[in-house]
Coordinates of all heavy atoms in Angstrom, one line a residue:
M1 N 60.3 26.3 -57.2 CA 60.9 27.7 -57.0 C 61.8 27.7 -55.8 O 61.5 27.3 -54.7 CB 59.8 28.7 -56.8 CG 58.9 28.9 -58.0 SD 57.7 30.2 -57.6 CE 56.4 29.6 -58.6
N2 N 63.0 28.2 -56.0 CA 64.0 28.3 -55.0 C 64.2 29.8 -54.6 O 65.1 30.4 -55.1 CB 65.3 27.7 -55.5 CG 66.2 27.3 -54.4 OD1 65.8 27.4 -53.2 ND2 67.4 26.8 -54.7
T3 N 63.4 30.2 -53.7 CA 63.4 31.6 -53.3 C 64.3 31.8 -52.1 O 64.3 30.9 -51.2 CB 62.0 32.2 -53.0 OG1 61.4 31.4 -52.0 CG2 61.2 32.2 -54.2
P4 N 65.1 32.8 -52.0 CA 66.0 33.1 -50.9 C 65.1 33.3 -49.6 O 64.1 33.8 -49.6 CB 66.7 34.3 -51.2 CG 66.4 34.7 -52.6 CD 65.2 33.9 -53.0
Q5 N 65.7 32.8 -48.5 CA 65.0 32.9 -47.2 C 66.0 33.4 -46.2 O 66.5 32.7 -45.3 CB 64.5 31.5 -46.7 CG 63.4 31.0 -47.6 CD 62.8 29.7 -47.1 OE1 63.0 29.3 -46.0 NE2 62.2 29.0 -48.0
P6 N 66.3 34.7 -46.3 CA 67.3 35.3 -45.4 C 67.0 35.2 -43.9 O 67.9 35.2 -43.1 CB 67.4 36.7 -45.9 CG 66.1 37.0 -46.5 CD 65.6 35.7 -47.1
N7 N 65.8 35.1 -43.5 CA 65.4 35.0 -42.1 C 65.3 33.6 -41.6 O 64.9 33.4 -40.5 CB 64.1 35.8 -41.9 CG 64.2 37.3 -42.1 OD1 65.3 37.8 -41.9 ND2 63.2 37.9 -42.6
N8 N 65.6 32.6 -42.4 CA 65.5 31.2 -42.0 C 66.9 30.7 -41.9 O 67.5 30.3 -42.9 CB 64.7 30.4 -43.0 CG 64.6 29.0 -42.6 OD1 65.2 28.5 -41.7 ND2 63.8 28.2 -43.4
P9 N 67.4 30.6 -40.7 CA 68.8 30.1 -40.6 C 69.0 28.7 -41.0 O 70.2 28.2 -41.2 CB 69.1 30.3 -39.1 CG 67.8 30.3 -38.4 CD 66.8 30.9 -39.4
L10 N 68.0 27.9 -41.1 CA 68.1 26.5 -41.5 C 67.9 26.3 -43.1 O 68.0 25.2 -43.5 CB 67.1 25.6 -40.8 CG 67.4 25.5 -39.3 CD1 66.2 24.7 -38.6 CD2 68.7 24.8 -39.0
H11 N 67.7 27.4 -43.8 CA 67.5 27.3 -45.2 C 68.7 26.7 -45.9 O 69.8 27.1 -45.6 CB 67.2 28.7 -45.8 CG 67.0 28.6 -47.3 ND1 65.9 28.1 -47.9 CD2 67.8 29.1 -48.3 CE1 66.0 28.1 -49.2 NE2 67.1 28.8 -49.5
G12 N 68.5 25.6 -46.7 CA 69.6 25.0 -47.4 C 70.3 23.9 -46.6 O 71.2 23.3 -47.1
V13 N 69.9 23.7 -45.3 CA 70.5 22.7 -44.5 C 69.5 21.5 -44.4 O 68.3 21.7 -43.9 CB 70.8 23.2 -43.1 CG1 71.5 22.1 -42.3 CG2 71.7 24.4 -43.2
T14 N 69.9 20.3 -44.7 CA 68.9 19.2 -44.6 C 68.9 18.6 -43.2 O 69.9 18.8 -42.4 CB 69.3 18.0 -45.6 OG1 70.6 17.5 -45.2 CG2 69.4 18.5 -47.0
L15 N 67.9 17.9 -42.9 CA 67.8 17.3 -41.6 C 68.9 16.3 -41.4 O 69.5 16.2 -40.3 CB 66.4 16.6 -41.4 CG 66.2 15.9 -40.1 CD1 66.2 16.9 -38.9 CD2 64.8 15.3 -40.1
E16 N 69.3 15.6 -42.5 CA 70.4 14.6 -42.4 C 71.7 15.4 -42.1 O 72.5 14.9 -41.2 CB 70.6 13.9 -43.7 CG 71.7 12.8 -43.7 CD 71.7 12.0 -44.9 OE1 71.0 12.3 -45.9 OE2 72.5 11.0 -44.9
Q17 N 72.0 16.5 -42.7 CA 73.2 17.3 -42.3 C 73.2 17.8 -40.9 O 74.2 17.8 -40.2 CB 73.3 18.5 -43.3 CG 73.6 18.2 -44.7 CD 73.4 19.4 -45.6 OE1 72.6 20.3 -45.4 NE2 74.3 19.4 -46.6
I18 N 72.0 18.1 -40.4 CA 71.9 18.6 -39.0 C 72.2 17.4 -38.1 O 73.0 17.6 -37.2 CB 70.4 19.1 -38.7 CG1 70.2 20.4 -39.5 CG2 70.2 19.2 -37.2 CD1 68.7 20.9 -39.4
V19 N 71.6 16.3 -38.3 CA 71.9 15.1 -37.4 C 73.4 14.7 -37.5 O 74.0 14.5 -36.4 CB 71.0 13.9 -37.8 CG1 71.4 12.7 -37.0 CG2 69.5 14.3 -37.5
E20 N 73.9 14.6 -38.7 CA 75.3 14.2 -38.8 C 76.3 15.2 -38.1 O 77.2 14.8 -37.5 CB 75.7 14.1 -40.3 CG 75.1 12.9 -40.9 CD 75.3 12.8 -42.4 OE1 75.7 13.8 -43.1 OE2 75.0 11.7 -43.0
R21 N 76.0 16.5 -38.3 CA 76.9 17.5 -37.7 C 76.8 17.4 -36.1 O 77.8 17.6 -35.4 CB 76.5 18.9 -38.2 CG 77.5 19.9 -37.7 CD 77.9 20.9 -38.8 NE 78.9 21.8 -38.3 CZ 78.9 23.1 -38.3 NH1 77.8 23.7 -38.9 NH2 79.8 23.8 -37.9
L22 N 75.6 17.3 -35.6 CA 75.4 17.2 -34.2 C 76.1 15.9 -33.6 O 76.7 16.0 -32.6 CB 73.9 17.2 -33.8 CG 73.2 18.5 -33.9 CD1 71.7 18.3 -33.8 CD2 73.7 19.5 -32.9
V23 N 76.0 14.8 -34.3 CA 76.6 13.6 -33.9 C 78.2 13.8 -33.9 O 78.9 13.3 -33.0 CB 76.2 12.4 -34.7 CG1 77.1 11.1 -34.4 CG2 74.7 12.0 -34.5
E24 N 78.6 14.4 -35.0 CA 80.1 14.6 -35.1 C 80.6 15.5 -33.9 O 81.6 15.3 -33.3 CB 80.4 15.3 -36.4 CG 81.8 15.6 -36.7 CD 82.0 16.3 -38.0 OE1 81.6 15.8 -39.0 OE2 82.5 17.5 -38.0
H25 N 79.8 16.5 -33.6 CA 80.1 17.5 -32.5 C 80.0 16.9 -31.1 O 80.9 17.0 -30.3 CB 79.3 18.7 -32.6 CG 79.7 19.8 -31.7 ND1 80.8 20.6 -31.9 CD2 79.1 20.2 -30.5 CE1 80.8 21.5 -30.9 NE2 79.9 21.3 -30.1
Y26 N 78.9 16.3 -30.8 CA 78.6 15.8 -29.5 C 78.8 14.3 -29.3 O 79.1 13.9 -28.1 CB 77.1 16.1 -29.1 CG 76.8 17.5 -28.9 CD1 76.0 18.2 -29.8 CD2 77.2 18.2 -27.8 CE1 75.7 19.5 -29.7 CE2 76.9 19.6 -27.7 CZ 76.1 20.2 -28.6 OH 75.8 21.5 -28.4
G27 N 78.6 13.5 -30.3 CA 78.6 12.0 -30.1 C 77.2 11.6 -29.7 O 76.4 12.4 -29.2
W28 N 76.9 10.4 -29.9 CA 75.5 9.9 -29.6 C 75.2 10.1 -28.1 O 74.0 10.5 -27.8 CB 75.3 8.5 -30.1 CG 75.3 8.3 -31.5 CD1 76.2 7.6 -32.3 CD2 74.2 8.7 -32.4 NE1 75.8 7.7 -33.6 CE2 74.6 8.3 -33.7 CE3 73.0 9.4 -32.3 CZ2 73.8 8.6 -34.8 CZ3 72.3 9.7 -33.4 CH2 72.6 9.3 -34.6
D29 N 76.1 9.7 -27.2 CA 75.8 9.8 -25.8 C 75.4 11.2 -25.3 O 74.4 11.4 -24.7 CB 76.9 9.2 -25.0 CG 77.1 7.7 -25.1 OD1 76.2 7.0 -25.5 OD2 78.3 7.3 -24.9
K30 N 76.2 12.1 -25.7 CA 76.0 13.5 -25.2 C 74.8 14.1 -26.0 O 74.0 14.9 -25.4 CB 77.2 14.4 -25.5 CG 78.3 14.0 -24.5 CD 79.3 15.1 -24.3 CE 80.4 14.7 -23.5 NZ 80.9 14.8 -22.4
L31 N 74.6 13.7 -27.2 CA 73.4 14.2 -28.0 C 72.1 13.7 -27.3 O 71.2 14.4 -27.1 CB 73.5 13.7 -29.4 CG 72.4 14.2 -30.3 CD1 72.3 15.7 -30.4 CD2 72.6 13.7 -31.8
A32 N 72.1 12.4 -26.8 CA 71.0 11.8 -26.1 C 70.7 12.5 -24.8 O 69.6 12.6 -24.4 CB 71.2 10.3 -25.9
Q33 N 71.8 13.0 -24.2 CA 71.6 13.8 -22.9 C 71.0 15.1 -23.2 O 70.2 15.6 -22.4 CB 72.9 14.0 -22.2 CG 73.5 12.7 -21.7 CD 75.0 13.0 -21.2 OE1 75.5 14.1 -21.2 NE2 75.6 11.9 -20.7
R34 N 71.3 15.7 -24.3 CA 70.8 17.1 -24.7 C 69.4 17.0 -25.2 O 68.6 17.9 -25.0 CB 71.7 17.8 -25.6 CG 73.0 18.1 -25.0 CD 73.9 18.9 -25.9 NE 75.1 19.3 -25.3 CZ 75.3 20.4 -24.6 NH1 74.3 21.2 -24.5 NH2 76.4 20.7 -24.0
V35 N 69.1 16.0 -26.0 CA 67.7 15.8 -26.6 C 67.3 14.4 -26.2 O 67.8 13.4 -26.7 CB 67.7 15.9 -28.1 CG1 66.3 15.7 -28.7 CG2 68.3 17.3 -28.6
N36 N 66.4 14.3 -25.3 CA 66.1 13.0 -24.6 C 65.1 12.2 -25.5 O 63.9 12.2 -25.3 CB 65.5 13.3 -23.3 CG 65.3 12.0 -22.5 OD1 65.8 11.0 -22.8 ND2 64.5 12.1 -21.4
I37 N 65.6 11.6 -26.5 CA 64.7 10.7 -27.4 C 65.5 9.4 -27.6 O 66.7 9.3 -27.7 CB 64.4 11.4 -28.7 CG1 65.6 11.9 -29.5 CG2 63.4 12.5 -28.5 CD1 65.4 12.5 -30.8
N38 N 64.7 8.3 -27.6 CA 65.2 7.0 -27.7 C 66.1 6.7 -28.9 O 67.0 5.9 -28.8 CB 64.1 5.9 -27.6 CG 63.6 5.8 -26.1 OD1 64.3 6.1 -25.2 ND2 62.4 5.3 -26.0
C39 N 65.7 7.3 -30.0 CA 66.5 7.0 -31.2 C 68.0 7.5 -31.1 O 68.8 7.0 -31.9 CB 65.9 7.6 -32.5 SG 65.9 9.4 -32.6
F40 N 68.3 8.3 -30.1 CA 69.7 8.7 -29.9 C 70.3 7.8 -28.8 O 71.5 7.9 -28.6 CB 69.7 10.2 -29.4 CG 69.4 11.2 -30.5 CD1 69.1 12.5 -30.1 CD2 69.4 10.9 -31.8 CE1 68.8 13.4 -31.1 CE2 69.1 11.8 -32.8 CZ 68.8 13.1 -32.4
K41 N 69.5 7.1 -28.1 CA 70.0 6.3 -26.9 C 70.1 4.8 -27.3 O 71.1 4.2 -26.9 CB 69.0 6.4 -25.8 CG 68.9 7.7 -25.2 CD 67.8 7.7 -24.1 CE 67.6 9.0 -23.5 NZ 66.6 9.0 -22.4
S42 N 69.2 4.2 -27.9 CA 69.1 2.8 -28.1 C 69.5 2.5 -29.6 O 68.8 2.7 -30.5 CB 67.7 2.3 -27.9 OG 67.6 0.9 -28.1
D43 N 70.7 1.9 -29.7 CA 71.2 1.5 -31.0 C 71.1 2.6 -32.1 O 70.4 2.5 -33.1 CB 70.5 0.2 -31.5 CG 71.2 -0.4 -32.7 OD1 72.5 -0.2 -32.8 OD2 70.6 -1.1 -33.5
P44 N 71.7 3.8 -31.8 CA 71.5 5.0 -32.6 C 72.1 4.8 -34.0 O 73.2 4.3 -34.2 CB 72.1 6.1 -31.8 CG 73.2 5.4 -31.0 CD 72.6 4.1 -30.7
S45 N 71.5 5.4 -35.0 CA 72.0 5.5 -36.3 C 71.4 6.8 -37.0 O 70.3 7.2 -36.6 CB 71.7 4.3 -37.2 OG 70.4 4.2 -37.6
V46 N 72.0 7.3 -38.0 CA 71.5 8.5 -38.7 C 70.2 8.1 -39.3 O 69.2 8.8 -39.2 CB 72.5 9.0 -39.7 CG1 71.9 10.1 -40.5 CG2 73.7 9.6 -39.0
K47 N 70.1 6.9 -39.9 CA 68.9 6.5 -40.7 C 67.7 6.4 -39.7 O 66.7 6.9 -40.0 CB 69.2 5.1 -41.4 CG 68.1 4.7 -42.2 CD 68.4 3.4 -42.9 CE 67.2 2.9 -43.8 NZ 67.5 1.7 -44.5
S48 N 67.9 5.7 -38.6 CA 66.8 5.5 -37.7 C 66.4 6.9 -37.1 O 65.2 7.1 -36.9 CB 67.1 4.5 -36.6 OG 68.1 5.0 -35.7
S49 N 67.3 7.7 -36.8 CA 67.0 9.0 -36.3 C 66.2 9.9 -37.2 O 65.3 10.6 -36.9 CB 68.3 9.8 -35.9 OG 69.0 9.0 -34.9
L50 N 66.6 9.9 -38.5 CA 65.9 10.6 -39.5 C 64.5 10.2 -39.7 O 63.6 11.0 -39.8 CB 66.6 10.5 -40.9 CG 68.0 11.2 -41.0 CD1 68.6 10.9 -42.3 CD2 67.8 12.7 -40.8
K51 N 64.3 8.8 -39.6 CA 62.9 8.3 -39.8 C 62.1 8.8 -38.6 O 60.9 9.2 -38.8 CB 63.0 6.8 -39.7 CG 61.7 6.1 -40.0 CD 61.9 4.6 -40.1 CE 60.6 3.9 -40.3 NZ 60.7 2.4 -40.4
F52 N 62.6 8.8 -37.4 CA 61.8 9.2 -36.2 C 61.6 10.7 -36.3 O 60.5 11.2 -36.1 CB 62.6 8.8 -34.9 CG 61.9 9.4 -33.7 CD1 60.8 8.8 -33.2 CD2 62.4 10.5 -33.1 CE1 60.1 9.3 -32.1 CE2 61.7 11.0 -31.9 CZ 60.6 10.4 -31.4
L53 N 62.6 11.5 -36.6 CA 62.5 12.9 -36.6 C 61.5 13.5 -37.6 O 60.8 14.5 -37.4 CB 63.9 13.6 -36.7 CG 64.8 13.4 -35.5 CD1 66.2 13.9 -35.9 CD2 64.3 14.1 -34.3
R54 N 61.5 12.8 -38.8 CA 60.6 13.2 -39.8 C 59.1 13.0 -39.5 O 58.2 13.6 -40.0 CB 60.9 12.5 -41.1 CG 62.2 13.0 -41.7 CD 62.5 12.4 -43.1 NE 63.7 12.9 -43.6 CZ 64.8 12.3 -44.1 NH1 64.8 10.9 -44.0 NH2 65.8 12.9 -44.6
R55 N 58.9 12.0 -38.6 CA 57.5 11.7 -38.1 C 57.1 12.4 -36.8 O 55.9 12.3 -36.4 CB 57.4 10.2 -37.9 CG 57.5 9.4 -39.2 CD 57.4 8.0 -39.0 NE 57.5 7.2 -40.2 CZ 57.3 5.9 -40.3 NH1 56.9 5.2 -39.2 NH2 57.4 5.3 -41.4
T56 N 58.0 13.0 -36.2 CA 57.8 13.6 -34.8 C 58.2 15.0 -34.8 O 59.4 15.4 -34.5 CB 58.6 12.7 -33.8 OG1 58.4 11.3 -34.1 CG2 58.1 13.0 -32.4
P57 N 57.3 15.9 -35.0 CA 57.6 17.4 -35.1 C 58.2 18.0 -33.9 O 59.1 18.8 -34.0 CB 56.2 18.0 -35.4 CG 55.4 16.9 -36.0 CD 55.9 15.7 -35.4
W58 N 57.8 17.6 -32.7 CA 58.4 18.1 -31.5 C 59.8 17.8 -31.3 O 60.7 18.6 -30.9 CB 57.6 17.8 -30.2 CG 57.6 16.3 -29.9 CD1 56.7 15.4 -30.2 CD2 58.6 15.6 -29.1 NE1 57.1 14.1 -29.8 CE2 58.3 14.2 -29.1 CE3 59.8 16.0 -28.5 CZ2 59.1 13.3 -28.4 CZ3 60.6 15.1 -27.9 CH2 60.2 13.7 -27.8
A59 N 60.2 16.5 -31.7 CA 61.6 16.1 -31.5 C 62.4 16.8 -32.6 O 63.5 17.2 -32.3 CB 61.6 14.6 -31.7
R60 N 61.9 16.9 -33.8 CA 62.6 17.6 -34.9 C 62.9 19.1 -34.4 O 64.0 19.6 -34.6 CB 61.9 17.6 -36.2 CG 62.6 18.3 -37.3 CD 61.8 18.2 -38.6 NE 62.6 18.8 -39.6 CZ 62.6 18.4 -40.9 NH1 61.8 17.4 -41.3 NH2 63.3 19.0 -41.8
A61 N 61.9 19.7 -33.8 CA 62.1 21.1 -33.4 C 63.2 21.2 -32.3 O 64.0 22.1 -32.4 CB 60.7 21.6 -32.8
E62 N 63.2 20.2 -31.4 CA 64.3 20.2 -30.4 C 65.7 20.0 -31.0 O 66.6 20.7 -30.6 CB 64.1 19.1 -29.4 CG 63.0 19.5 -28.4 CD 62.9 18.5 -27.2 OE1 64.0 18.0 -26.8 OE2 61.8 18.3 -26.7
V63 N 65.8 19.2 -32.0 CA 67.1 18.9 -32.7 C 67.5 20.1 -33.5 O 68.7 20.5 -33.4 CB 67.0 17.6 -33.6 CG1 68.2 17.5 -34.5 CG2 66.8 16.4 -32.7
E64 N 66.5 20.7 -34.2 CA 66.9 22.0 -34.9 C 67.3 23.1 -34.0 O 68.2 23.8 -34.3 CB 65.7 22.4 -35.8 CG 65.5 21.4 -37.0 CD 64.2 21.7 -37.8 OE1 63.3 22.5 -37.3 OE2 64.1 21.2 -38.9
A65 N 66.6 23.2 -32.9 CA 67.0 24.3 -31.9 C 68.4 24.0 -31.3 O 69.1 25.0 -31.2 CB 65.9 24.3 -30.8
L66 N 68.7 22.8 -31.0 CA 70.1 22.5 -30.6 C 71.1 22.8 -31.6 O 72.1 23.4 -31.3 CB 70.2 21.0 -30.1 CG 71.6 20.6 -29.7 CD1 72.0 21.4 -28.5 CD2 71.6 19.1 -29.4
Y67 N 70.8 22.5 -32.9 CA 71.7 22.8 -34.0 C 71.9 24.3 -34.1 O 73.1 24.7 -34.2 CB 71.1 22.2 -35.3 CG 71.9 22.5 -36.5 CD1 73.0 21.7 -36.9 CD2 71.7 23.6 -37.3 CE1 73.8 22.0 -38.0 CE2 72.4 23.9 -38.4 CZ 73.5 23.1 -38.7 OH 74.3 23.4 -39.8
L68 N 70.9 25.0 -34.0 CA 71.0 26.5 -34.1 C 71.8 27.1 -32.9 O 72.7 27.9 -33.1 CB 69.6 27.2 -34.2 CG 68.9 27.0 -35.5 CD1 67.5 27.5 -35.4 CD2 69.7 27.6 -36.6
A69 N 71.5 26.5 -31.7 CA 72.2 27.0 -30.5 C 73.7 26.7 -30.6 O 74.5 27.4 -30.1 CB 71.6 26.4 -29.3
T70 N 74.0 25.6 -31.2 CA 75.4 25.1 -31.3 C 76.2 25.7 -32.4 O 77.3 26.1 -32.2 CB 75.4 23.6 -31.4 OG1 74.7 23.0 -30.4 CG2 76.8 23.0 -31.4
F71 N 75.5 25.9 -33.5 CA 76.3 26.3 -34.7 C 75.9 27.6 -35.4 O 76.5 28.0 -36.4 CB 76.2 25.2 -35.8 CG 76.7 23.8 -35.3 CD1 75.9 22.7 -35.2 CD2 78.1 23.7 -35.1 CE1 76.4 21.5 -34.8 CE2 78.6 22.5 -34.7 CZ 77.7 21.4 -34.5
A72 N 74.9 28.3 -34.9 CA 74.4 29.5 -35.5 C 75.5 30.5 -35.6 O 75.6 31.2 -36.6 CB 73.2 30.1 -34.8
K73 N 76.3 30.6 -34.6 CA 77.4 31.6 -34.7 C 78.4 31.3 -35.8 O 79.1 32.2 -36.3 CB 78.1 31.6 -33.3 CG 78.8 30.3 -32.9 CD 79.3 30.3 -31.5 CE 79.8 29.0 -31.1 NZ 78.8 28.0 -30.8
D74 N 78.5 30.0 -36.3 CA 79.4 29.6 -37.3 C 78.9 30.1 -38.7 O 79.7 30.2 -39.6 CB 79.6 28.1 -37.4 CG 80.3 27.5 -36.2 OD1 80.8 28.3 -35.4 OD2 80.2 26.3 -36.0
R75 N 77.7 30.4 -38.8 CA 77.1 30.7 -40.2 C 77.4 32.2 -40.5 O 77.1 32.6 -41.7 CB 75.6 30.4 -40.2 CG 75.4 28.9 -40.1 CD 73.9 28.6 -40.3 NE 73.4 29.0 -41.6 CZ 73.4 28.2 -42.7 NH1 73.8 27.0 -42.6 NH2 72.8 28.7 -43.8
H76 N 77.8 33.0 -39.6 CA 77.9 34.4 -39.9 C 79.4 34.9 -39.8 O 80.2 34.5 -39.1 CB 77.1 35.3 -39.1 CG 75.6 35.0 -39.3 ND1 75.0 35.3 -40.5 CD2 74.7 34.5 -38.5 CE1 73.7 35.0 -40.4 NE2 73.5 34.4 -39.2

């Protein structure tokens, strides 16, 4: 079932899209400064970042919060 979620600003946005857009906007170095996790610092890639973020809820929450803080104004 695909029900609308008007109060969820991340509805319809995949974690991969979030990571790719943040990397495009900040680059890996600045992203690692904003979210202090090794997968952004040491040999970063979207694939390795997704693997880590899917297994680590606190890190995913930080990345999603940064995405919202950076791009939420673009959605409206």
